Structures are given as structure tokens and as C-alpha cells.
Amino acid sequence: MNEAEIQRQKEIKEAEELLFTGPQALGFAKGLFLGRFVADWAMPYPRVPAAQQAELESSLAEVREFLDQNLDPVAIDRAADIPRQLIDGLAQVGVLGMTAPKEYGGRGFSQRAYCKILEEIGARCASTSVFTNAHHSIGIRALLLFGTREQKQKWLPALVTGQQLAAFALTEKEAGSDAANVQTQATPSEDGTHYILNGEKRYITNAAIAQVLTVMARTPVPGTDKTAITAFLVTPDMPGFEMLEGRMEKLGIRGTATGRFAMRDMAVPKENILGPLGKGLKVALTVLDFGRTTFGACCTGAAKTCLRLAVEHANTRRQFKKTLGDFDLVKKKIGRMAADLYAMEAMTAVTASLIDRGLEDYMIETAMLKVFTTDRLWEAVNDAFQIHGGSAYFNDSPLERMLRDARINQIGEGSNEVLTSFIALVGMRGPGMEFKEIHDTMFNPSRGLGKAWTAGMNRLGAAVKVPSVPVKSESLRSQASQLGRLVWRFNLSVNRALITYREPVMDMQLVQERIAGAAMEMFASACVISRLDADLQRVGRNGETAAGSHRAADLFLRQSFHRIRRFLSELTDNEDKALLVTANSVLGKDNPASPNGR
Ligand SMILES: Cc1cc2nc3c(=O)[nH]c(=O)nc-3n(C[C@H](O)[C@H](O)[C@H](O)COP(=O)(O)OP(=O)(O)OC[C@H]3O[C@@H](n4cnc5c(N)ncnc54)[C@H](O)[C@@H]3O)c2cc1C
């Protein structure tokens, strides 16, 4: 094995330890890759339980009224600050501790209900929604999930009531997308009571205003010369904590205080360790599952604002003696925005419900939600901007701010490229392992042909059977069966890619992008069918007429199925080779010996 291969094997082993510990339930995404439609992960469409509905409605009304009266996104952007008064007000209406248990002063809301609240904030001001996310969705999340009873009693009450604010500090110079490469060291003190932290963190939201920071640092693995990441609760009053830059000047979400800080020989009591020693990366990734769900909610809210602004303008601005909304190229944008919005909302609701139901391992689904909603919001902002023409370009336009604000979404909490690759690789692991089982047994029959037979039949079964997509509404049967056929075709394409490329597929990101893209569209379509089915059933019961949103859902399914087909056909019909050769030549990485340009 050469050095690169040894390194690769090491990385795979690390990722496997991190992501695949314990028996894995067959979730929706993993099911897709095996040609199955795991319906109960997406259907029936999750509703907030009746008992919580009244509380949610009253909270929503209270939050809306508060935001309408007190939130000024323009002033926040201009001053590059969220006023303390607003933060206190958000705390008073419960936003800063909404999902925390009532015994610690929170409201005990489900993730699904909390997403509805964050959608409201996201619709108005991205600075405020990112601040809230950093505090609640990721800042106190590790404490909520992994804190001991003592830790929760000690830290949570002040945090959920907003007397103290939280931040989540993972990123460093060497650990951006490569989150596992944290270099901050935490060395146990000689008497074993403390850990001494040394290192620097950067790009940390709320760093300058937080009183409690969840910090990831490397601790020694006892009995070895290795280190592993551990999560620590840190307070900025600890000697050795130094704020290097509290508010880094930036393009968008300017109201948030994004900072960088150093820890120099900073003693942190061992009681401040969150979760198991050496399992900080697992803590971080679990926390980010929650963050990515509320990301989806905030993007949905912002996309609603884009659509509203686009419609208002298209219906009022006249050119060529017509309103802009009379032109098909404007309608194209508005129709697509409405369709995507229906899907963003459905996907957020379904993904949040996976968390609420306590299902196991929804990392692929939260990654899909994050990539899908952030990409679609970016398109929505861009389209709304275009419809507004020159007027969007000036500083008094909300779209000018929204465009700047939306850009972070595709980078933060896992860049969309890294997550796209993750979705494909983790998803393909299921069928990949079955192929490996068949392959290994064929070349080593002493392992027993029974296993290979079972795996082979599983592959074959999936390959010949179109999964059923159960719907109650007669009018949805055709779309449901189209989706079932696409799942079947997707599985064939994944199998073909695995057989054709074998292990090198781990590095073939253009293949991964199409596989992940198709999987994401299928998840989105399943959520849309689930939501539309529930809507249609309600319409049937109440005698309502079909709403415009149903047309948006129908359009989404048509466009999404089209995109899935394109992703799959481009797996074999593409210009990848020429693209890679060109990029390599521009990058100065020419290697004529390489057959596919890599
Ligand atoms: C405003 C803001 C707020 C933030 N808040 C927080 C916070 O509260 N806490 C925190 O811990 N971090 C925070 N971050 C950090 C954020 O999570 C990182 O910026 C992000 O993880 C990307 O890391 P990086 O910036 O170092 O980019 P890099 O890792 O250098 O990546 C740059 C680009 O390279 C590409 N790329 C990287 N790896 C791959 C790959 N494997 N395959 C294909 N393409 C790849 C992607 O396009 C990526 O965007 C924040 C960042 C910003 C800008």
C-alpha cells in the first residue's frame, strides 16, 4: 500500500468509527440507495400534536407581534449589531430556550414547532435568525443532548432565559471543512482536575457576546499516543481566554458578532467536559443535525419573503404597457419559486419530525435538507432580485441585504460541496457493502455462500421490484408511482456506478454530485407528496377547493422528476473527462498518464 492509500484507509476507518457505530436502522435516505421507499419516515405528513398546537399558535402570535414591533432588519444591518433590547425581548417571548425542558425554564417545544418559530425570524432578518441558531440550535444543543443532570442544572437556566448567551466553536484555521482536523490541544493537568487548553478558533458566531462557549479541542486517548476531539464548556472569564477580534467585518448577516479568539494555557475544570471524552466530533455532528434543521426553517422563511416581494413587484411594475407578471420569463421565476418553497417547507417539517420521533441516524436527511434549502433560497433571492431589476441593487432595497445575507448559508455548517459528497458516500455505503460481501465470498467461499446469496438476492430484489409509494388521494397515484419508478431506476444507476467505478468512486465527486442530487430530489418529492396528500385529504373532508399551493406542489413534482431523470442520464452521458482535463491543466496538475483526467 502506498502512503496515499494508507492515509485513505485511515480516513475511512476514522469516518466509519464516527458515523457507523452501532447497528444502523434503515432510514429514508439509506433505503433509497437500496431501492426501497421507507414510507414511514416521510408519511403521514407530520402535524404538530393537537395538545401542542394551541401553545404553538399562541407562541407564534406572540413572537410575530414582538418581531413586527421591535425587529428592524435594516437598522441591524446598518449598525452591524443586534441591540441588547431585542435579544432581551426574544428571551422574554421564549425564543432563546424554546426546545429546552420546562424544568430548566424552557418551553419544551418539539423541533418541528421550533422550526415554525424560526421560519418567522428567518422571514424577517437573517442576522437575528443566525444569532438565534448559534445560541439555541447549536450553542446550547450539546448541553441539552449530552450534558449531565448537574451540568444542565448549573448552566441551562441562565442560558434558556437569555441572561447568558451561547456559542459553538469548532472552526479553526486548519479545521474548516475538515472539521476533524481540530488543532486546539487540551492537556490534562498533573492533578487531573483540569484540562489546559491552547489554540485559536475563528469565524465563531456570537463569540464576542457569549458567556458560554462549547469548544472542541483534542485530548489524549489514554494508553496511546493518539488524540481525539472532546467538547468543553468554556467561559470567556477563564484566565488565558483572549478575544482576538470580536466582530470581524463581513459581507452579510452583519448584525451577528462573528469573532476569533485564542486560548492560552487556559485551565478548564474536567467537570466542563460535555459528552464522553474523545467523542467531541460525534457531539459536534449530532449538534449540527439540529442546526441544519433550523437552517432549513430559516431559509424557508426567507424564501417566503422573496416570493412575496417578487409577486408584489411583478404585479405593480409596468413596462411595455404590461405588468412584469405578464411576461413568461418572469412567470417562470415566480412559478419555480412557489414550487420550491412548497418543497422547502415540507422537507423541513419532515426532517424536524425525524428528530422529534427519536429516530436513529438522520444525518443524511439533515444534510439533504441543508443543501436543498440553502441552494433553493439562493436561487429564490437571485430570481426575486432579477425581477426587481435596478431597484434591487440599491441599499434601500431589502433584496440587496437578503442577497448578501443568503450567501453564508451554502458555506456554514458544512459547505454544500462537502455535504453533497457526504450524502452520496454514506448512502452508497449500503449497496457498496452488499457488493463487497458478494465479491469477498466469491473469492473466499469458505466464508459461506449463504451470506452472498442473501446479499445477492437483496440486490436483485431491489433491482426488479418497483417500490410502492403509498398515498391516500386518488389524484396523487400517478405521481406516487412515478416516484416509485424513479427510486427503482436510481438504485439501478447507483449499482451500475458501484460496479463500474468500484473504490475510485470515493474520489469521483462529479458522479457523487449526480447521485446525491437525485437522492435529494427524491427526498424532496417524497416530502411534497406527503404534504400534498395530507392537504388533499383535508380539502376532501372540509369541502375546500384546491389552493394555489397545490398547483405549486404539482409543478415541483414535475420539475423534480425531470431533474432526477437528468441527473441519472448524465451519469453516463457527460463531459466529465473534458472538464477534469481542462481544470487540471488550468490548475497546473496535468497528468497525461491518467486516463480520466484525474
Ligand atoms: C459568518 C460565518 C459564521 C460562522 N459561524 C460559525 C460558528 O458559529 N461556529 C463554527 O464552528 N464555525 C462557524 N463558521 C465557520 C464555517 O462553518 C466554515 O466557514 C465552513 O465550515 C467552511 O470552512 P472554511 O471557511 O475553512 O472553508 P474551507 O474548508 O477552506 O473550504 C472552502 C471551500 O472549498 C470547497 N471544499 C472544501 N472541502 C471540499 C471537499 N472535500 N470537496 C469539495 N469541495 C470542498 C467548498 O466549496 C468550500 O466552500 C462560520 C463561518 C462564517 C463565514
Side-chain angles (χ1 to χ4, degrees):
M1 249 193 290
N2 63 26
E3 209 172 295
E5 187 52 26
I6 293 170
Q7 175 62 20
R8 242 167 74 79
Q9 293 299 336
K10 189 171 152 259
E11 282 170 14
I12 292 169
K13 190 164 177 292
E14 278 175 8
E16 293 207 337
E17 276 172 12
L18 180 72
L19 299 167
F20 312 118
T21 45
Q24 294 297 300
L26 188 66
F28 187 87
K30 286 184 184 151
L32 286 180
F33 282 84
L34 292 168
R36 308 211 187 118
F37 188 83
V38 182
D40 72 330
W41 272 47
M43 295 163 166
Y45 190 64
R47 298 273 169 212
V48 175
Q52 281 172 26
Q53 188 65 40
E55 200 184 351
L56 172 61
E57 289 301 331
S58 100
S59 263
L60 268 174
E62 190 184 12
V63 169
R64 275 188 200 121
E65 191 186 338
F66 170 76
L67 297 174
D68 286 346
Q69 287 174 7
N70 299 283
L71 180 65
D72 181 349
V74 177
I76 287 175
D77 183 57
R78 296 254 163 91
D81 187 27
I82 301 175
R84 183 68 222 193
Q85 248 176 317
L86 182 79
I87 294 176
D88 291 342
L90 288 171
Q92 266 164 24
V93 293
V95 167
L96 301 188
M98 218 140 223
T99 67
K102 289 188 175 163
E103 62 177 305
Y104 301 116
R107 302 236 170 152
F109 270 31
S110 63
Q111 191 71 5
R112 169 93 173 85
Y114 186 48
C115 279
K116 292 303 293 174
I117 301 275
L118 271 176
E119 190 188 301
E120 287 295 326
I121 304 178
R124 291 163 165 86
C125 174
S127 285
T128 308
S129 64
V130 171
F131 152 76
T132 309
N133 254 334
H135 167 79
H136 190 329
S137 287
I138 57 174
I140 64 172
R141 184 56 61 186
L143 191 54
L144 285 169
L145 290 172
F146 297 96
T148 60
R149 192 159 175 78
E150 293 73 43
Q151 286 174 326
K152 288 182 185 166
Q153 274 167 344
K154 177 174 174 192
W155 299 96
L156 275 178
L159 286 165
V160 300
T161 49
Q163 289 158 44
Q164 294 193 332
L165 298 173
F168 176 81
L170 171 63
T171 304
E172 303 176 2
K173 186 162 183 270
E174 304 301 331
S177 299
D178 189 1
N181 197 33
V182 163
Q183 298 297 313
T184 295
Q185 301 295 325
T187 315
S189 62
E190 282 194 356
D191 62 3
T193 59
H194 286 74
Y195 279 79
I196 310 300
L197 267 63
N198 276 293
E200 287 185 13
K201 296 285 177 186
R202 69 176 187 181
Y203 307 163
I204 307 303
T205 308
N206 292 357
I209 56 173
Q211 287 76 34
V212 182
L213 300 97
T214 303
V215 168
M216 300 293 157
R218 301 201 86 85
T219 48
V221 177
T224 71
D225 58 355
K226 296 193 177 118
T227 56
I229 298 172
T230 297
F232 289 88
L233 282 170
V234 162
T235 58
D237 57 1
M238 288 175 169
F241 185 99
E242 188 190 340
M243 187 57 65
L244 300 172
E245 194 177 356
R247 287 174 182 273
M248 302 167 78
E249 287 275 318
K250 57 191 189 298
L251 173 80
I253 54 165
R254 283 168 44 80
T256 58
T258 316
R260 54 190 190 93
F261 60 90
M263 295 157 289
R264 305 198 208 282
D265 293 329
M266 186 179 80
V268 181
K270 72 174 181 358
E271 291 73 31
N272 286 22
I273 288 181
L274 270 178
L277 188 72
K279 295 287 176 202
L281 208 48
K282 173 97 182 156
V283 170
L285 293 180
T286 311
V287 163
L288 290 175
D289 268 341
F290 284 74
R292 287 176 189 146
T293 318
T294 42
F295 237 81
C298 295
C299 289
T300 303
K304 282 188 179 176
T305 303
C306 288
L307 182 60
R308 177 176 58 75
L309 292 172
V311 169
E312 279 168 15
H313 195 71
N315 278 336
T316 48
R317 167 81 175 150
R318 292 181 71 83
Q319 286 292 275
F320 305 102
K321 298 194 172 65
K322 289 176 174 181
T323 58
L324 297 182
D326 286 323
F327 296 104
D328 285 358
L329 289 178
V330 172
K331 285 182 188 162
K332 176 183 165 188
K333 295 181 178 59
I334 289 187
R336 189 176 53 198
M337 251 191 256
D340 286 350
L341 184 53
Y342 191 94
M344 291 164 84
E345 198 168 349
M347 220 169 158
T348 303
V350 168
T351 312
S353 80
L354 304 179
I355 292 180
D356 292 335
R357 288 164 64 193
L359 294 176
E360 199 190 328
D361 191 9
Y362 31 70
M363 248 184 215
I364 310 185
E365 286 79 4
T366 60
M368 286 178 169
L369 175 70
K370 196 270 175 177
V371 175
F372 182 88
T373 52
T374 57
D375 279 352
R376 296 310 158 93
L377 172 60
W378 182 243
E379 273 179 33
V381 176
N382 195 39
D383 282 349
F385 200 99
Q386 188 71 14
I387 290 170
H388 277 250
S391 68
Y393 208 79
F394 294 88
N395 289 356
D396 61 351
S397 157
L399 284 162
E400 178 269 342
R401 173 177 43 81
M402 290 182 76
L403 188 86
R404 286 187 284 109
D405 286 348
R407 194 59 190 85
I408 181 58
N409 298 328
Q410 289 156 309
I411 297 170
E413 293 198 17
S415 76
N416 285 11
E417 288 81 2
V418 171
L419 290 178
T420 296
S421 179
F422 169 85
I423 291 162
L425 290 180
V426 179
M428 283 194 289
R429 189 178 182 270
M433 288 304 279
E434 288 189 358
F435 282 124
K436 189 172 180 312
E437 188 70 51
I438 297 169
H439 176 270
D440 289 354
T441 310
M442 274 166 60
F443 288 94
N444 182 8
S446 65
R447 293 184 65 221
L449 281 171
K451 263 186 153 183
W453 176 257
T454 314
M457 287 313 284
N458 281 345
R459 296 293 62 241
L460 204 66
V464 294
K465 220 168 127 199
V466 174
S468 125
V469 176
V471 285
K472 291 203 177 91
S473 313
E474 196 55 43
S475 58
L476 267 178
R477 298 245 187 271
S478 157
Q479 280 114 323
S481 82
Q482 282 186 67
L483 180 58
R485 279 200 300 279
L486 286 169
V487 173
W488 172 81
R489 198 177 141 193
F490 172 71
N491 174 248
L492 278 189
S493 302
V494 169
N495 290 351
R496 195 174 297 130
L498 282 165
I499 291 166
T500 311
Y501 304 118
R502 295 171 172 253
E503 280 88 349
V505 80
M506 306 267 298
D507 291 322
M508 299 173 78
Q509 292 194 330
L510 302 179
V511 173
Q512 294 165 14
E513 186 179 38
R514 296 185 188 103
I515 287 175
M520 249 181 302
E521 291 288 348
M522 284 187 287
F523 182 40
S525 288
C527 297
V528 165
I529 288 182
S530 175
R531 180 179 172 194
L532 184 55
D533 199 18
D535 285 353
L536 291 170
Q537 293 297 306
R538 206 186 47 241
V539 165
R541 274 196 304 274
N542 302 347
E544 299 164 21
T545 49
S549 64
H550 298 180
R551 290 186 198 108
D554 178 63
L555 174 64
F556 180 82
L557 293 174
R558 288 168 190 271
Q559 294 191 328
S560 181
F561 293 168
H562 186 77
R563 287 189 290 263
I564 296 168
R565 285 188 203 104
R566 204 180 59 223
F567 277 130
L568 298 183
S569 63
E570 286 181 0
L571 276 170
T572 47
D573 179 12
N574 57 59
E575 286 79 41
D576 290 1
K577 205 169 150 188
L579 184 144
L580 293 172
V581 167
T582 306
N584 281 341
S585 114
V586 175
L587 286 162
K589 291 178 187 288
D590 279 324
N591 179 5
S594 170
N596 63 353
R598 46 187 64 252

